[in-house]
Amino acid sequence: MSSAVRPVRSWIAIVAVPLFAFLTLCAWSFASPVGSSPDDDFHLASIWCGLGERPGLCETAPDSADAAPTARMIPAALVNAPCFAFRPEQSAGCWDPAASGMALVARANVDGLYPRLFYTAASVFASTDPQFSVIAIRLANSAFAVGLLTAVFFALPRRVRPALLISVIATSVPLGVFVFASTNPSSWAMLSAATVWTSLYGATRATGRRRWVLCALAIFGAIVGAGARADAAIFAVYAVALALILGVRSLRQQRWPISTALVICVISAAFYMSARQGGAAFGGLDPSAHALTLSQHISNMFEIPSLWTGALGGSNLGWFDTRMPAIVWVPATVVFAGALFVGIHRPTRRRMTAVTLALLALWAVPFVMLAQSNAMVGSTVQPRYLLPLMLIAVGVASLRPDAERAWDGPRYAVAAVGLWVAMTVGLHQNLSRYISGGGGRIDAGAPGSWWWPGVPDPLFIWMAGSAAFAGMLLTIWIATRGRGRRAPDAALLRAPRGSQPTEITGSAST
C-alpha cells in the first residue's frame, strides 16, 4: 500500500474504531431492562442516593423499628424493577415503570460499604424517570469507557498499544460488554485494570510530554477503579507492581513513573480504607459460614478455572439467569487462551516474571477469597470479580515487541470471527431472555413482552450491535494490515541496563 494511502487509512480507524465500540456498547445498553445487572437493587438505590438526600429521589426512611439504618425511600419503580431476577422464564414485562410514589429499599450505599465515587458520578443522571435515567447512565458509562481507553491507546508508544487492545477485546465477550454498558461499579474496576498498568508501563518507555500524559492517565485510572470497588484498589497496586517489574531498569531515570506509582498506592490505600467492603479481602465475603474441609479446599483449587470461563460466557449473565449457549463461551474462551499463548513467545526474564505473577493471581485470588468466605466455587465469588485480573494477564502476556506481526493474517481472522459469533449470539440471548422469557424470539409484541418506549425495535438493536462489533474488528484489521511485517522494535522491551528509553516519534507514534 502506498505511503499516501496509509495516513488516510489510519485517520479513518482513529474515528471508526471508537465509534463502532461505542455503538456496540449502546446495543448492550438497550439489551436489558432497568435492574438487570447483578445486585442492581443495591446499586440503583446507591446511585439515586449518591448525592445524598433529595426530595423525590432519595429520602430518609420513616421511623420504624423494622427499618435498617441503611434503608432509604427511592422511586417505587426502581424498587420493583428486578421482578424478573432469578426467574429465567419471566420476561421483563412484569415490571411497571409507571409505578408512582416512593418505596422503601432495605439497603443502599449510605454507610460507605462501597467507595462513593462511582455512585456520586452516576447520581448526576438520577431523576424521577427511571428508564431515561438508567439508559443515560449506561450510555454515559459506555462513552466514558471508550473515551478513556482511546485516550490511553493514543498516549501509549505504538509498540505498547497492541497489549491494551488485545487485552480488552479478548476479555470483553460476553460479560465484559454487558458490564461496561451497565450501572454496575465493576465496569470501572475493569476500566481501571485495563488502563493503570499500561499507562504506567508506557510512561517508563516514553519521555517528555508523553510521559507526563501517561503518568496522569495512570493516576486517573487508579482513581476510577478505587472509587468504584475496594478490590479494584488492590488490583491497582498489583498493576503498579507489574508495570514497575516490566519497565523500571534505572531508579534515577525513572523518577516520574516511580513517583506516580507511589501516588497510586496512596490513593488506592485511601479509597480502600474508606470502604467497609475492603474487609472482605481479609475476612471473606461470608466468614460466618461453616469452615471448609480439606477436600473442599482441594475441590475449589481444581474448579477455579471455571470462574475464568464463567467470565467468558460459561456462567449466566444478569442475575445469573440469562444462559449463554456453548457457541458463546467456547470461541470466547479459545480467543482468551489463544491470546495468552500467542503473547508468551520468546519472553524476556522480566516479562516472564510478570506473566507468571499475573497467572498466579488469577488462581490465588479467588482461591483465597473462597477459603476466607468458607464458600465453594459457584457461590459468593463471581466471575466478574476476576475480569480485571484477566485483563491484566492477557495484556502483560501480549506485550511482545512483534505483537502486530503475530496477529497479522489468518490468526486474527479466526479470532475475530469467533468473537463476532460469540458476541452476536450473546446479544441475541440477552435480548430474548428479557423480551420473551428466553423463548428464543426477538419480538417486542410477544405476550407479556418488554421493550423501551420510543426506541427502535429489538431486531434493529441486535443487528446494529452485531454490525458495529464486526465493523470495529474489520477496521482494526484494515488499519493494522501489513504493519507487523516491519521489523519489531525490540529495543522497547530490551533496553540496555541503565539506558534512557526514547520516545517513539513521527509516524511510528500515531
Side-chain angles (χ1 to χ4, degrees):
M1 179 172 292
S2 67
S3 59
V5 175
R6 189 175 293 114
V8 175
R9 186 179 66 177
S10 298
W11 278 107
I12 291 175
I14 289 172
V15 175
V17 171
L19 177 60
F20 282 138
F22 175 66
L23 291 176
T24 301
L25 293 180
C26 285
W28 280 90
S29 296
F30 287 106
S32 58
V34 173
S36 58
S37 68
D39 301 318
D40 245 354
D41 56 337
F42 173 82
H43 296 309
L44 290 177
S46 300
I47 289 172
W48 257 250
C49 294
L51 289 173
E53 295 184 20
R54 292 182 288 174
L57 299 179
C58 179
E59 302 175 1
T60 302
D63 293 335
S64 171
D66 298 329
T70 56
R72 290 295 184 272
M73 302 290 291
I74 63 173
L78 282 174
V79 178
N80 300 323
C83 58
F84 44 76
F86 306 117
R87 301 162 63 190
E89 74 290 344
Q90 173 65 62
S91 75
C94 63
W95 179 51
D96 180 14
S100 59
M102 306 287 283
L104 182 69
V105 63
R107 56 188 190 130
N109 193 52
V110 296
D111 59 345
L113 176 63
Y114 278 66
R116 302 178 187 272
L117 181 60
F118 174 84
Y119 299 122
T120 301
S123 189
V124 172
F125 299 96
S127 72
T128 55
D129 184 347
Q131 293 190 102
F132 173 81
S133 297
V134 166
I135 281 297
I137 294 169
R138 290 178 180 178
L139 295 181
N141 212 25
S142 300
F144 177 61
V146 172
L148 181 56
L149 289 171
T150 301
V152 172
F153 179 85
F154 287 109
L156 289 171
R158 189 176 70 82
R159 294 295 183 183
V160 184
R161 293 174 182 173
L164 173 64
L165 196 63
I166 294 168
S167 67
V168 173
I169 293 177
T171 58
S172 64
V173 180
L175 182 58
V177 286
F178 178 86
V179 174
F180 273 132
S182 74
T183 54
N184 197 293
S186 291
S187 59
W188 281 20
M190 292 163 49
L191 191 58
S192 175
T195 56
V196 171
W197 83 267
T198 49
S199 297
L200 188 58
Y201 172 74
T204 67
R205 302 291 89 196
T207 59
R209 190 183 310 169
R210 185 185 293 270
R211 170 176 284 184
W212 284 88
V213 171
L214 286 168
C215 287
L217 286 171
I219 293 172
F220 182 69
I223 293 173
V224 165
R229 290 185 59 93
D231 55 357
I234 299 176
F235 295 156
V237 175
Y238 164 73
V240 162
L242 292 183
L244 296 182
I245 289 173
L246 286 164
V248 172
R249 289 167 171 80
S250 170
L251 297 180
R252 181 176 60 84
Q253 295 175 349
Q254 299 289 353
R255 289 191 299 269
W256 287 113
I258 292 173
S259 299
T260 300
L262 293 175
V263 171
I264 290 174
C265 291
V266 171
I267 291 173
S268 299
F271 273 108
Y272 181 85
M273 290 186 293
S274 71
R276 292 192 302 107
Q277 183 200 24
F282 299 99
L285 297 173
D286 186 15
S288 63
H290 293 295
L292 300 180
T293 64
L294 177 60
S295 63
Q296 288 176 316
H297 283 300
I298 294 174
S299 176
N300 273 345
M301 182 179 294
F302 292 159
E303 293 291 335
I304 290 297
S306 68
L307 294 173
W308 312 339
T309 58
L312 302 169
S315 292
N316 297 343
L317 295 187
W319 291 78
F320 302 104
D321 54 13
T322 304
R323 179 182 174 273
M324 294 288 109
I327 200 171
V328 173
W329 65 265
V330 168
T333 301
V334 168
V335 171
F336 172 77
L340 288 174
F341 281 104
V342 170
I344 304 173
H345 173 73
R346 298 177 62 186
T348 62
R349 183 179 303 174
R350 289 172 178 266
R351 190 158 68 93
M352 196 66 241
T353 299
V355 170
T356 301
L357 290 174
L359 295 178
L360 283 175
L362 264 179
W363 213 303
V365 168
F367 178 78
V368 172
M369 188 65 92
L370 287 165
Q372 292 178 329
S373 302
N374 299 316
M376 300 295 294
V377 170
S379 64
T380 307
V381 177
Q382 301 179 19
R384 63 188 168 93
Y385 300 163
L386 300 187
L387 267 177
L389 292 175
M390 294 171 67
L391 273 160
I392 294 173
V394 173
V396 171
S398 300
L399 199 63
R400 52 185 287 184
D402 60 341
E404 289 186 18
R405 173 184 294 179
W407 286 100
D408 186 18
R411 186 176 289 158
Y412 178 83
V414 171
V417 170
L419 282 181
W420 177 79
V421 170
M423 204 289 297
T424 299
V425 176
L427 181 60
H428 181 282
Q429 288 293 112
N430 205 62
L431 281 161
S432 177
R433 181 260 179 274
Y434 294 108
I435 291 171
S436 57
R441 296 173 294 177
I442 297 185
D443 178 9
S449 64
W450 153 86
W451 191 238
W452 303 95
V455 174
D457 63 68
L459 183 60
F460 174 84
I461 295 296
W462 175 48
M463 294 177 66
S466 176
F469 192 68
M472 182 191 74
L473 296 174
L474 181 61
T475 305
I476 292 172
W477 177 74
I478 293 174
T480 59
R481 183 161 52 97
R483 278 187 179 181
R485 295 168 192 165
R486 296 195 293 269
D489 187 0
L492 275 173
L493 298 182
R494 296 179 180 272
R497 183 180 298 274
S499 66
Q500 174 71 16
T502 57
E503 180 179 12
I504 302 174
T505 57
S507 61
S509 65
T510 58

